Amino acid sequence: MNCLLCHSPYNPIANWRRLLFLEDLDVLCPRCRGAFQLIDGCLCEMCGRSLEESAPSICADCLDWEEDERWRGVLAKNRSVYVYNEWMKEVIALWKFRGDYAVAEAFRQPLTAVFRRDFGSGWHIVPIPLSPERLHERGFNQAEALARLLPFPSFPWLARKHSEKQSKKSRRERLETDNPFFLSGHPPINGKRIVLIDDIYTTGVTVRHAARVLLEAGAAEVGSLTLVRA
């Protein structure tokens, strides 16, 4: 078979685990798979970034969030799968901005593993939405594509107003932006634990804006799972 990213032919190894648990063969060759950097080891308890073993359990960014009473407790936790290294930047550009939807399949197993480890069946999956204008421009919603990889249903309980791309704003500008999210209809949110799905956690503003809307609608707790931690 051919690698989903570099398209070179390779022979995937069918090990006993795959045979016993009927796991799918890897869609990436070993070289491409090995270029991704999994987040592991010592993590910030809140945002899931990698920390030095001697560092406090909560990073400086998350301490800033918790010291601001407007945002304290809005996001229960974030967990991410990969570090935003140079290889991941190339893959995100190919997938997100050049519209290669099939690339998402490369993330199925690692994303599912982190979801099962840190969240699980008690959480309701809600992908971060795009505005209708951005969806038309891009052709698909990358957060919805990631949510579909997980072995549980996802719910379109949020909608989004059109605004300037977050990637073009500084952290301060993002914080000062009006909340772009609102409920889509009248979803049955009350008392539910919700995990937001998105592609990249950068400053945490996006998922906190979305979490606030859900909490104000009655959600018991809101966390987030992203593919990448920048």
Side-chain angles (χ1 to χ4, degrees):
M1 60 188 292
N2 290 340
C3 175
L4 188 63
L5 290 177
C6 71
H7 307 295
S8 61
Y10 75 105
N11 293 316
I13 299 172
N15 58 31
W16 282 109
R17 179 175 176 82
R18 288 201 171 100
L19 292 172
L20 288 172
F21 296 100
L22 301 178
E23 292 181 349
D24 293 332
L25 295 174
D26 198 346
V27 297
L28 300 185
C29 69
R31 186 181 69 84
C32 286
R33 177 63 70 190
F36 290 111
Q37 183 182 347
L38 286 167
I39 295 175
D40 57 13
C42 187
L43 305 179
C44 171
E45 292 178 359
M46 293 195 65
C47 73
R49 81 184 331 160
S50 294
L51 298 175
E52 297 292 333
E53 289 189 9
S54 59
S57 60
I58 297 177
C59 72
D61 284 348
C62 289
L63 284 175
D64 287 344
W65 281 115
E66 290 302 292
E67 288 173 359
D68 188 334
E69 62 182 16
R70 298 170 301 171
W71 298 102
R72 186 179 303 131
V74 169
L75 190 72
K77 63 180 176 181
N78 173 76
R79 290 296 179 266
S80 303
V81 182
Y82 290 116
V83 174
Y84 199 37
N85 61 13
E86 291 303 315
W87 169 244
M88 178 57 83
K89 290 178 184 178
E90 292 181 25
V91 174
I92 289 289
L94 175 67
W95 177 50
K96 184 174 175 179
F97 302 115
R98 282 180 259 162
D100 193 344
Y101 184 90
V103 168
E105 187 59 36
F107 309 130
R108 181 182 298 277
Q109 191 281 329
L111 187 74
T112 299
V114 174
F115 178 82
R116 289 187 184 279
R117 184 191 70 197
D118 292 295
F119 297 96
S121 59
W123 293 75
H124 292 72
I125 297 167
V126 176
I128 291 289
L130 295 176
S131 67
E133 294 87 348
R134 193 74 69 217
L135 182 60
H136 177 75
E137 171 189 312
R138 193 167 293 163
F140 71 97
N141 180 354
Q142 70 281 355
E144 288 182 0
L146 291 170
R148 290 192 188 104
L149 299 176
L150 299 171
F152 300 99
S154 62
F155 303 92
W157 290 343
L158 287 173
R160 187 175 193 160
K161 295 176 286 189
H162 189 57
S163 62
E164 183 184 356
K165 291 181 179 179
Q166 292 291 310
S167 59
K168 294 184 177 181
K169 297 178 183 179
S170 67
R171 187 178 192 275
R172 178 175 292 277
E173 289 171 333
R174 293 185 188 199
L175 283 169
E176 293 173 351
T177 300
D178 290 337
N179 195 330
F181 299 106
F182 57 96
L183 294 182
S184 178
H186 302 281
I189 288 173
N190 196 48
K192 289 183 170 58
R193 302 170 81 198
I194 295 171
V195 55
L196 298 161
I197 305 296
D198 205 4
D199 56 349
I200 303 175
Y201 182 111
T202 305
T203 63
V205 173
T206 297
V207 290
R208 282 179 171 82
H209 272 309
R212 170 166 279 171
V213 170
L214 295 168
L215 289 172
E216 290 174 352
E221 187 177 21
V222 182
S224 61
L225 171 64
T226 65
L227 180 66
V228 178
R229 178 63 172 91

